[in-house]
Amino acid sequence: MAATVALSVDVPETGEVHRPVQPGPVSFALTLSRADLAALLPEGAEAVVSRAALRVKVAQNGESAEVPWQLNAPSTPLPVDGDVALVHTGEVPYVTFGSAGDVDFSVGEFTVELRSATAAPEASAPALATVTCRFEEGESGHLATTHVTDVNEDEPSGSPVTPATPAGGTARAEDEDITVEPLAAEDEDPDYCPVDPPVGEMDASEAPQLPPGDPARVLENPKAPPSCANAAGLANVWKLNGAMIINDPADPALISVITAKRTVIRPTQAPGGYYFRIDSLANLKLPDADSTFLTFGFQPVTAKVSFENGPMTISTGTSGSGPDKIVFSTAYFQQSLRLHDVKVNGTPLDVGGNCRTAKPFKVVLNGGDAYKNVGVGGLLEGEVDIPPFTGCGTGGEDLNPLFTASLSGPGNRIFMNQASTCVPSNPTRSYCPPPPAVLPGTKPAT
């Protein structure tokens, strides 16, 4: 039986000894012909759910270990003929290494269990059929290479490889001296993310869209777990030749995230070519920012800026293949600004309680391939056009022209650096509590 496989996962290019290396959310598509599926399933089957078990090998310095990746596909309708793509998604365990050196991630054989679409996902009923696949001779299962460094040479290196598995799972390396034990859950329900889960509708219109060709399959994941992350940034005001800190790392607010809430995929062999996109929903309630500028080049003005943000859609993915391959990452939301506590040369200026941009404006941030995925984070940047201001002034004084002339217009750059997400429900609970974010243009403290 012939099958086509499309596996998408982001693995960090670098890591540190004794620090988790977390592969990003995984999408694994197995495409079979309808005729082959018909031979495996009961007659009259109209839909199927499936579960994929991948045997992923991690190898470093002559040692290796196997980490199980368990992925699930929702109910997939079965057409009368043609090909059927079973798209499995999910999070996978992180891996921790005890010594420095390059680490190779590769996948060997994998197994897919086909189950009745009417059965509950957690049902213990036996699978209708099990498909075990291996690569053809000459095909490589190599996924990625991570370069692990030892930032503290005085620290004992420990065992060469210590991968972590989900609670209840055990992996054994090819070398019997390397074993992996289940993680112990010291705290069953840690309050690592003290923010409400994000709400609102996703809008991926600013991400690269599906090229002409066959339609893509859209998979909604209503059970995607909530998570959180730190993010810090800078916003330049072009007219004033200055900048202000967004979400000051000294007292940050958390981003609330639901990762991989929607997946859009079209197989490589489909007309129009390969397309894969993961959409995540986020809410970012920023604290007020303090800004100080020289208005018109000589007058010092200080103010607090309140950010009123709509739901954020973070889209990461790949379009095309070969030399035409595009790796993209975008974050898109609508934003309004409100000014208050304004002082001119130290003297308070009453601007009223509703001095704001006349309308919301688009914020589109792009990370290319520097922003790997929501789980790992990275740097995003973009440029916004600040609208005119309205509602500024009291007692009949119209201050709208002052702020419009000083602030409004195009060319205002935004740089936002997101740290890794903490997923409290993940048995490994890597990156919990959420690590701090590094302000763009600075280096982390050592």
Side-chain angles (χ1 to χ4, degrees):
M1 180 186 301
T4 302
V5 172
L7 177 63
S8 176
V9 57
D10 287 313
V11 178
E13 295 180 358
T14 60
E16 297 177 5
V17 169
H18 304 307
R19 295 288 300 274
V21 173
Q22 176 69 73
V26 180
S27 175
F28 172 74
L30 174 67
T31 302
L32 300 167
S33 71
R34 181 65 178 91
D36 285 339
L37 271 177
L40 299 171
L41 300 173
E43 186 177 354
E46 297 181 351
V48 66
V49 298
S50 55
R51 177 181 301 164
L54 282 68
R55 299 171 60 182
V56 177
K57 179 181 177 181
V58 291
Q60 181 198 45
N61 301 331
E63 305 287 347
S64 63
E66 188 176 281
V67 182
W69 286 7
Q70 304 288 340
L71 309 169
N72 293 287
S75 177
T76 302
L78 301 178
V80 176
D81 52 23
D83 292 336
V84 180
L86 305 176
V87 183
H88 308 78
T89 58
E91 295 184 346
V92 297
Y94 67 75
V95 186
T96 303
F97 301 95
S99 59
D102 285 344
V103 178
D104 177 80
F105 289 78
S106 60
V107 61
E109 69 177 34
F110 58 88
T111 300
V112 176
E113 293 182 347
L114 306 175
R115 298 178 181 273
S116 168
T118 59
E122 64 275 10
S124 58
L128 298 175
T130 300
V131 178
T132 300
C133 297
R134 300 175 181 84
F135 289 101
E136 293 182 352
E137 186 176 353
E139 292 288 333
S140 171
H142 174 73
L143 296 177
T145 299
T146 297
H147 181 63
V148 175
T149 58
D150 191 347
V151 296
N152 187 354
E153 296 180 354
D154 295 331
E155 184 177 344
S157 61
S159 58
V161 183
T162 310
T165 62
T170 301
R172 182 170 296 275
E174 293 174 0
D175 185 334
E176 290 294 320
D177 292 333
I178 303 174
T179 61
V180 179
E181 300 298 333
L183 292 178
E186 298 179 0
D187 189 344
E188 293 297 333
D189 188 24
D191 189 17
Y192 290 138
C193 292
V195 288
D196 294 331
V199 295
E201 298 296 325
M202 293 187 296
D203 181 356
S205 59
E206 294 297 330
Q209 298 299 295
L210 181 73
D214 273 9
R217 188 174 177 206
V218 179
L219 303 174
E220 303 288 348
N221 185 9
K223 295 184 179 180
S227 59
C228 61
N230 279 302
L234 295 171
N236 292 342
V237 180
W238 181 79
K239 284 185 176 180
L240 299 180
N241 193 30
M244 59 183 169
I245 295 176
I246 302 174
N247 207 21
D248 192 335
D251 187 24
L254 288 172
I255 298 178
S256 176
V257 185
I258 293 181
T259 303
K261 188 174 175 63
R262 178 174 62 206
T263 301
V264 182
I265 185 167
R266 181 171 67 190
T268 303
Q269 69 275 16
Y274 182 68
Y275 182 84
F276 175 76
R277 190 183 82 231
I278 292 179
D279 296 331
S280 302
L281 176 66
N283 286 166
L284 177 55
K285 296 181 179 180
L286 294 168
D288 292 349
D290 293 308
S291 62
T292 300
F293 298 104
L294 291 177
T295 307
F296 305 119
F298 66 90
Q299 187 70 57
V301 175
T302 62
K304 288 187 178 295
V305 181
S306 295
F307 304 92
E308 298 172 357
N309 299 331
M312 178 190 298
T313 302
I314 305 174
S315 300
T316 58
T318 305
S319 181
S321 57
D324 298 326
K325 178 181 178 180
I326 298 173
V327 178
F328 61 85
S329 56
T330 65
Y332 167 63
F333 57 100
Q334 294 276 336
Q335 183 178 79
S336 294
L337 302 179
R338 184 174 69 86
L339 304 179
H340 56 100
D341 295 336
V342 179
K343 295 181 180 179
V344 179
N345 202 21
T347 301
L349 176 64
D350 190 356
V351 299
N354 197 34
C355 179
R356 64 174 59 248
T357 47
K359 62 180 181 179
F361 55 93
K362 285 184 176 183
V363 179
V364 183
L365 305 178
N366 289 282
D369 58 1
Y371 183 95
K372 298 300 182 184
N373 55 56
V374 179
V376 176
L379 180 65
L380 294 158
E381 57 183 283
E383 189 172 294
V384 299
D385 188 340
I386 300 176
F389 280 78
T390 186
C392 304
T394 60
E397 185 178 21
D398 183 5
L399 298 177
N400 296 325
L402 171 64
F403 293 109
T404 297
S406 303
L407 303 173
S408 302
N412 304 287
R413 300 289 296 170
I414 296 179
F415 305 86
M416 184 67 73
N417 191 36
Q418 180 214 309
S420 303
T421 55
C422 157
V423 186
S425 62
N426 189 329
T428 65
R429 289 206 288 273
S430 55
Y431 303 113
C432 289
V438 178
L439 196 66
T442 64
K443 293 183 179 180
T446 57

